[in-house]
Amino acid sequence: MEKSRRREKLAVSLLFGLLLPCCLAQTTPSNTATRTPTRIPTTSSSPQTERLRVRLSGYPRKHNEGRVELFYKGEWGTICDDDFAIANANVLCRQLGFVEATGWTHSAKYGKGQGKIWLDNVQCNGGERSIDSCKSRGWGNSDCTHDEDAGVVCKDERIPGFVESNVIDAQVDEKQIEEVRLRPVVATARKKLPITEGVVEVKYKDGWAQICDLRWTIKNTHVVCGMLGFPHERKVNKNFYKLYLERQKNHFHVHSVACVGTEIHLAACPLEFSKPNATSSCEGGMPAVVSCMPGPLFIQNGLKKKPKISNNVRLKGGAKLGEGRVEVLKDNEWGTVCDDRWSLQSASVVCRELGFGSAKEALTGARMGQGMGPVYMNEVKCVGQERSIWNCPFKNITSEDCQHVEDAAVRCNVPYMGVEHSIRLAGGRTRYEGRLEVLSLDSNGTLSWGLICGETWNTREAMVACRQLGLGYANQGVQETWYWDSSNVTEMIMSGVKCTGNEMSLSQCQHHKTVSCQKAAAKFAAGVICSDTASDLVLNAPLVQQTVYIEDRPLHMLYCAAEEDCLSKTAAQANWPYGHRRLLRFSSQIHNIGRADFKPKAGRHSWVWHACHGHYHSMDIFTHYDLLSGNGTKVAEGHKASFCLEDTDCEEGVSKRYECANFGNQGITVGCWDLYRHDIDCQWIDITDVKPGNYILQIVINPNYEVAESDFTNNCMKCNCKYDGHRIWLHNCHIGDAFSEEAERRFEKYPGQLNNQIPSINQQ
């Protein structure tokens, strides 16, 4: 009864924007529910007893292709291409978490591997669960050289819920300690999430057991707090707990723990387990109790001293809180970290300095997308006790040493907040899609599920919903869900939802205090389609700066542009076809550096044919071009209302998929770019009415968030601009989040070019 009343009170708080806890202990994620631990195979000749580790390597490549490497007997090795076939590739791609293979490669297309050639003459029928179930010459028996290393090309579609490849996780025997939690004993602590203080308990058989605190150290506490998503530990009032715990019946499963403090998991520490027949397994001691300090994002009201987080390290491109590509700040410009020797210890240092716990996984091979700009660090070798990644040994590198396909990333342990239990999806064909239903308290005082009005629902709201559900990125926010009508939940309980896209849960977004929904039928309720991957578009800022110029273009050559609304409003009053318009022209090269192709939201049937330019337009608005005054006011704007999306060119080894000609498919492939040359129609800003002065040129890709991306903060590009009435200069062109906050402030205040010497933003 106490738990039931507590749940009802917490559900009421949800309606006021608070979070809904579903259990009363801070717990590490259950392995059976969230992930399968990857373990290094033993020296057994039958690796089927443990999951065989497979990875893709080589260069150049995308994340879904590469040289196949297998981890066997403690060593990575390759597969020879003799007898290799698409059936082999299908088995390997499924092992890597992709739905199927689209091809395979021979003769070391992705470069020659090193070490052993583990398998040769592999012959699969295509249905095997693992490559080691296929026929072959046996492990290590090969007459090949690395010139014959095989590779695969997998379809860029993930098996739902599959643990990703290129992941470094804790290599520990979690059978000893499957799960760890904090059980709070203070009444007020039971009602709040996250749980930051309590008795340390480990999952044992069908229940929970305690750890004896004899020889318990602050280093043990540090490891436990890190596992639970907390960066730091605090002193605990042991005397208070002793009085309480002496009256409780305790079951000690672990007699002693001796962590050094850098471990990622308690199971990695030396452990001594209690003997089954011992009368007292903790004589003179009591259950271990710890108190953890949450990071700023999870801080509870009332804490006097709020911890600080790093301002020269950040995570980018992750779908969930506490995950992303690692970026570091140097000389006021953000750059990435190369994945050579990337480890859980180095990843944990990053996680803790950002206010999270220890690292759950260290990711390699740009698993969170590719960054832009410099690669600052390589071979980072943290011990695990450093306060910042900048305090760890590392190598300074050049572009020849590392490419952005090797950008390192992390997934950090974060505190359990229970937010995923306050919403659910219904009616979808897979667990990644459906109509959203929100937990609420009905008029009878019982818990039930309600709907969200779809009228204002869009991509950013869907991003938050998918994050809250733990389902990755938002592929689409759906405003009508009649085709997912399989539930008896019909009442709208939430409307006017507006999110920035960064919130942890929908309860943190703005919404109407009183429900107001014009289309209140269930078929107009909000829904989402989530995805493990997403695209990420960025503009080539240096190219804009290099290609800018002014053209006085005769009006008789601008009829098509006028039809597509690419001129300023005053053009309508011009004496057509006489006179001209002054155009600020430049080239735009838009790269997709994400992990999924960028495709227009609208289907082919709704594309619009433009006879003047002779192609279909698949998006109403793809890019905004604006000229801004010093106070941010628009003085001129480009009306590039709708683009034709295609692959103009691609990185080496990546094939084009999209072209506009002949009503072809439109989009931008991962690793490719769409180039709009300075000399094509509408690739300009009409500055006919602009007076000489200092301005900011701003270009925003996908400005209405019409298509989902993993990161919208890099969609804006800015340049300082000086116009003297005859000529124009651009300088300091950069992606919106490429500079530090200090450098960005200097950029905004920059008075303009005073002579023909153009300084960089870092020299001002």
Side-chain angles (χ1 to χ4, degrees):
M1 289 296 293
E2 177 62 24
K3 285 188 176 180
S4 176
R5 286 195 294 269
R6 192 176 299 136
R7 277 199 172 111
E8 290 183 7
K9 290 179 181 178
L10 292 169
V12 173
S13 69
L14 172 67
L15 301 179
F16 293 93
L18 298 177
L19 302 172
L20 178 69
C22 73
C23 66
L24 299 175
Q26 174 69 42
T27 316
T28 56
S30 170
N31 295 322
T32 56
T34 58
R35 67 186 180 97
T36 303
T38 305
R39 300 188 179 95
I40 297 177
T42 63
T43 56
S44 167
S45 61
S46 179
Q48 291 94 323
T49 56
E50 300 205 33
R51 180 177 162 195
L52 179 68
R53 293 184 67 186
V54 184
R55 72 182 181 187
L56 297 178
S57 297
Y59 181 82
R61 68 181 184 88
K62 294 199 297 181
H63 68 276
N64 58 321
E65 63 179 327
R67 180 179 63 249
V68 178
E69 296 189 351
L70 310 175
F71 194 85
Y72 180 62
K73 287 192 173 181
E75 185 178 350
W76 286 102
T78 62
I79 299 179
C80 181
D81 60 16
D82 291 350
D83 293 334
F84 209 85
I86 192 67
N88 301 2
N90 275 320
V91 173
L92 285 162
C93 285
R94 287 198 302 272
Q95 258 185 289
L96 289 161
F98 299 97
V99 293
E100 63 181 354
T102 59
W104 62 278
T105 65
H106 57 84
S107 305
K109 177 185 174 181
Y110 299 102
K112 293 188 288 187
Q114 296 179 340
K116 300 282 189 179
I117 298 176
W118 279 128
L119 293 177
D120 190 5
N121 298 112
V122 180
Q123 296 177 330
C124 304
N125 61 36
E128 293 87 350
R129 289 180 175 270
S130 175
I131 196 70
D132 54 18
S133 300
C134 303
K135 294 179 181 178
S136 73
R137 296 178 61 168
W139 288 95
N141 185 7
S142 172
D143 58 1
C144 299
T145 68
H146 283 296
D147 291 309
E148 302 168 84
D149 284 343
V152 295
V153 181
C154 304
K155 184 177 181 180
D156 195 5
E157 181 180 340
R158 301 291 293 171
I159 297 172
F162 192 91
V163 179
E164 294 186 82
S165 56
N166 288 1
V167 171
I168 305 167
D169 60 5
Q171 302 295 320
V172 296
D173 185 0
E174 293 183 356
K175 293 178 183 177
Q176 295 185 71
I177 296 182
E178 179 185 356
E179 203 172 335
V180 179
R181 76 174 186 182
L182 292 186
R183 176 171 58 85
V185 297
V186 181
T188 54
R190 294 175 184 170
K191 300 178 182 180
K192 294 180 180 180
L193 288 178
I195 302 298
T196 60
E197 184 173 305
V199 178
V200 182
E201 296 189 328
V202 296
K203 194 77 177 288
Y204 181 63
K205 295 182 178 179
D206 294 328
W208 294 88
Q210 292 77 47
I211 300 176
C212 181
D213 75 341
L214 293 175
R215 298 184 296 278
W216 184 267
T217 68
I218 197 70
K219 294 178 180 179
N220 299 343
T221 301
H222 188 71
V223 173
V224 170
C225 288
M227 289 178 65
L228 297 174
F230 303 111
H232 307 293
E233 62 282 346
R234 295 180 292 198
K235 289 184 179 179
V236 66
N237 187 343
K238 193 172 179 179
N239 292 331
F240 166 80
Y241 282 95
K242 188 172 184 179
L243 291 172
Y244 172 82
L245 294 172
E246 281 177 348
R247 300 192 295 268
Q248 304 295 312
K249 185 177 180 180
N250 299 304
H251 176 73
F252 296 99
H253 177 53
V254 182
H255 183 68
S256 69
V257 182
C259 302
V260 298
T262 60
E263 296 87 350
I264 308 304
H265 196 285
L266 197 64
C269 302
L271 303 172
E272 183 181 335
F273 290 90
S274 301
K275 297 179 180 179
N277 300 324
T279 54
S280 175
S281 55
C282 191
E283 187 174 351
M286 67 176 212
V289 178
V290 304
S291 181
C292 304
M293 171 70 77
L297 291 174
F298 311 96
I299 209 78
Q300 295 175 346
N301 293 331
L303 281 178
K304 295 179 181 179
K305 186 179 179 181
K306 292 189 177 182
K308 295 180 179 180
I309 61 172
S310 174
N311 59 4
N312 59 5
V313 180
R314 69 183 183 185
L315 301 181
K316 298 287 287 184
K320 304 172 188 175
L321 194 67
E323 69 174 31
R325 178 178 62 253
V326 179
E327 296 191 353
V328 293
L329 186 66
K330 181 181 179 182
D331 297 330
N332 287 319
E333 185 176 4
W334 289 98
T336 61
V337 176
C338 189
D339 62 12
D340 292 348
R341 301 207 177 196
W342 188 239
S343 67
L344 280 166
Q345 282 67 35
S346 298
S348 290
V349 170
V350 170
C351 290
R352 288 186 188 268
E353 71 174 305
L354 290 174
F356 305 110
S358 52
K360 183 162 55 177
E361 294 170 348
L363 301 129
T364 62
R367 295 304 298 171
M368 293 291 176
Q370 298 181 33
M372 296 288 285
V375 181
Y376 285 133
M377 293 180 171
N378 189 22
E379 298 190 18
V380 180
K381 299 176 186 177
C382 299
V383 175
Q385 298 173 332
E386 297 87 350
R387 289 188 174 272
S388 171
I389 190 174
W390 286 106
N391 300 134
C392 304
F394 66 89
K395 286 185 178 179
N396 292 306
I397 59 174
T398 63
S399 59
E400 288 77 23
D401 296 320
C402 273
Q403 307 290 329
H404 282 296
V405 293
E406 301 169 86
D407 284 344
V410 297
R411 283 197 179 103
C412 306
N413 287 312
V414 297
Y416 175 75
M417 302 298 292
V419 295
E420 67 272 24
H421 297 287
S422 59
I423 63 173
R424 72 180 182 188
L425 297 181
R429 296 164 297 178
T430 71
R431 70 186 188 96
Y432 281 77
E433 66 178 27
R435 178 184 291 166
L436 274 164
E437 297 181 350
V438 182
L439 185 65
S440 66
L441 199 67
D442 63 20
S443 56
N444 297 323
T446 57
L447 291 171
S448 61
W449 300 84
L451 304 177
I452 300 175
C453 181
E455 288 171 6
T456 60
W457 190 258
N458 219 313
T459 302
R460 283 184 288 182
E461 290 71 44
M463 288 169 64
V464 177
C466 291
R467 179 180 300 121
Q468 184 174 351
L469 289 162
L471 295 179
Y473 305 96
N475 184 288
Q476 191 175 338
V478 183
Q479 294 185 341
E480 294 186 17
T481 53
W482 51 268
Y483 41 84
W484 287 331
D485 194 9
S486 64
S487 172
N488 59 0
V489 178
T490 58
E491 183 185 1
M492 295 285 184
I493 65 166
M494 207 172 185
S495 64
V497 180
K498 279 291 180 185
C499 306
T500 65
N502 299 318
E503 296 87 350
M504 282 191 288
S505 68
L506 291 173
S507 63
Q508 296 177 345
C509 301
Q510 295 180 356
H511 57 86
H512 294 154
K513 291 183 179 179
T514 304
V515 176
S516 175
C517 188
Q518 294 182 357
K519 297 179 179 179
K523 66 180 181 180
F524 297 113
V528 295
I529 301 174
C530 304
S531 174
D532 282 327
T533 58
S535 61
D536 187 15
L537 300 186
V538 294
L539 190 69
N540 184 338
L543 184 65
V544 175
Q545 186 167 321
Q546 293 162 11
T547 57
V548 68
Y549 65 97
I550 288 176
E551 179 192 8
D552 289 334
R553 193 164 182 81
L555 284 174
H556 69 83
M557 300 176 68
L558 292 171
Y559 280 103
C560 272
E563 180 185 311
E564 294 195 9
D565 200 24
C566 294
L567 302 174
S568 63
K569 295 177 181 178
T570 59
Q573 285 78 49
N575 185 23
W576 290 77
Y578 309 105
H580 67 270
R581 304 298 292 181
R582 175 156 289 187
L583 307 176
L584 171 60
R585 309 199 69 148
F586 48 86
S587 295
S588 292
Q589 190 181 79
I590 299 165
H591 293 242
N592 183 359
I593 62 171
R595 295 179 52 218
D597 292 354
F598 184 94
K599 292 182 282 191
K601 183 178 180 181
R604 283 186 179 211
H605 62 280
S606 60
W607 294 357
V608 179
W609 173 256
H610 282 253
C612 265
H613 293 142
H615 57 226
Y616 285 91
H617 287 174
S618 57
M619 291 182 68
D620 290 334
I621 298 177
F622 180 56
T623 308
H624 278 168
Y625 302 147
D626 297 312
L627 199 64
L628 310 176
S629 66
N631 61 10
T633 304
K634 288 185 184 180
V635 296
E637 58 185 350
H639 297 278
K640 194 72 171 178
S642 49
F643 274 11
C644 166
L645 300 172
E646 66 179 359
D647 295 328
T648 306
D649 208 348
C650 304
E651 297 171 0
E652 184 180 352
V654 180
S655 301
K656 298 179 184 179
R657 293 184 183 176
Y658 305 101
E659 62 177 353
C660 298
N662 303 316
F663 198 35
N665 286 327
Q666 293 195 21
I668 307 176
T669 304
V670 175
C672 299
W673 53 87
D674 194 1
L675 175 63
Y676 299 92
R677 285 174 51 89
H678 54 81
D679 54 359
I680 66 172
D681 257 11
C682 298
Q683 187 59 35
W684 62 56
I685 299 178
D686 185 349
I687 61 169
T688 306
D689 307 312
V690 175
K691 298 177 181 178
N694 298 312
Y695 301 97
I696 291 175
L697 171 65
Q698 177 176 281
I699 300 176
V700 183
I701 310 167
N702 194 17
N704 295 340
Y705 308 95
E706 188 175 332
V707 178
E709 298 184 47
S710 60
D711 186 4
F712 285 110
T713 61
N714 58 10
N715 283 32
C716 178
M717 188 222 71
K718 295 180 179 180
C719 304
N720 284 125
C721 174
K722 179 176 175 60
Y723 175 48
D724 67 0
H726 304 284
R727 296 172 298 172
I728 201 154
W729 295 268
L730 295 184
H731 45 287
N732 295 327
C733 291
H734 65 285
I735 301 300
D737 66 343
F739 288 169
S740 67
E741 292 183 8
E742 179 186 352
E744 194 63 34
R745 283 193 296 269
R746 290 204 301 267
F747 171 87
E748 299 287 353
K749 294 178 180 178
Y750 183 57
Q753 180 185 347
L754 302 178
N755 52 46
N756 62 358
Q757 300 297 315
I758 301 177
S760 71
I761 195 70
N762 296 323
Q763 294 173 330
Q764 293 172 39

